[in-house]
Amino acid sequence: MTKEFSLDRRAYLKTVGVVGTGLGVAGCSGTGDGGGSDGPTAITAGTAPGFPPFEMKEEGELVGFDIDLLEAVVSEAEGYELDGWKEFEFKSLIPALNSDKIDVVAAGMTITDKRDETIDFTDPYYSSDQAIVVRKGGDFAPSELSDLSGHKVGAQKGTTGESVVKSELIEAGDLKESNYNAYDNYVLAVQDLENGNIDAIVIDQPVGQTFEANRDVSIQFTYETGEKFGFGVRTDADEMTTALNDGLAAVREGGTYEELTSKWFGQ
Ligand code: GLN
């Protein structure tokens, strides 16, 4: 109800001509809950840098597509404003959300049935598949997942890339569990791949592409998963979720979405 109430109140204040003074508010108090009626509700966002170009640190500053997009979305979300960003390892984001440390996750997070059991998602804002990334110019040239058999494979903990390794390779009997290295973030996995400690990484395709452009690694093939990224929200935050979905639609319609995809993906 916060959103409707703050709209009503704004309209009321406009009518009586006391915007922002705090005077004449007594007349409103009978209709509201007190909280959230004094202005926009502050949202704290959480992310996991090391996932370029969605979120990464550049000269100590948090930047990326998710950062710009969520900021644009919240500025279009009636009744809400962005308070700031907190950083976590990817696997800690859902616990942080559900313990109220943050209010929204913007981390290239795939909407999955499993995650949907504990959190909700906004409408999707990006699509992805998984890429199998190897050392640039190396001898290892897998063309399908089963070719990874007998090699060392890495992914980031708690990701859909890790799920592909577990369900399609380990559970299928194609990869020994001891040949899977789980990393706190994909930057560490890329380092280990460059150093020859592992032979391949399973990672979201657009992020694999960014590493290919900047590091000594290249995409060997793509494994189609048809994933969709959404912003993660608590299951009891329906009002905020609706406002974010409206904000996302406005950002798409107003052309900002396209500006941001060309800024970060050059497309
Ligand atoms: N899209 C993948 C997932 O949701 C990876 C996200 C990430 O590593 N930031 O698991």
Side-chain angles (χ1 to χ4, degrees), residues 48 51 55 90 107-110 115 130 156 158-161 186 204 227 229:
F51 199 62
E55 39 269 336
F90 183 76
M109 187 177 274
T110 304
R115 290 173 182 155
Q130 293 294 315
Q156 178 175 285
T159 59
T160 48
Y186 271 120
D204 294 65
E227 292 169 61
F229 296 170

Side-chain angles (χ1 to χ4, degrees), residues 151-201:
H151 291 267
K152 282 201 167 290
V153 181
Q156 178 175 285
K157 289 176 191 165
T159 59
T160 48
E162 173 172 81
S163 299
V164 168
V165 174
K166 287 187 172 167
S167 63
E168 305 302 316
L169 285 168
I170 297 175
E171 278 162 33
D174 279 340
L175 193 78
K176 280 195 289 182
E177 196 146 11
S178 58
N179 273 347
Y180 171 55
N181 280 15
Y183 296 88
D184 285 335
N185 66 67
Y186 271 120
V187 176
L188 297 172
V190 168
Q191 265 165 26
D192 251 10
L193 179 60
E194 287 174 332
N195 295 339
N197 292 329
I198 55 174
D199 305 309
I201 291 175

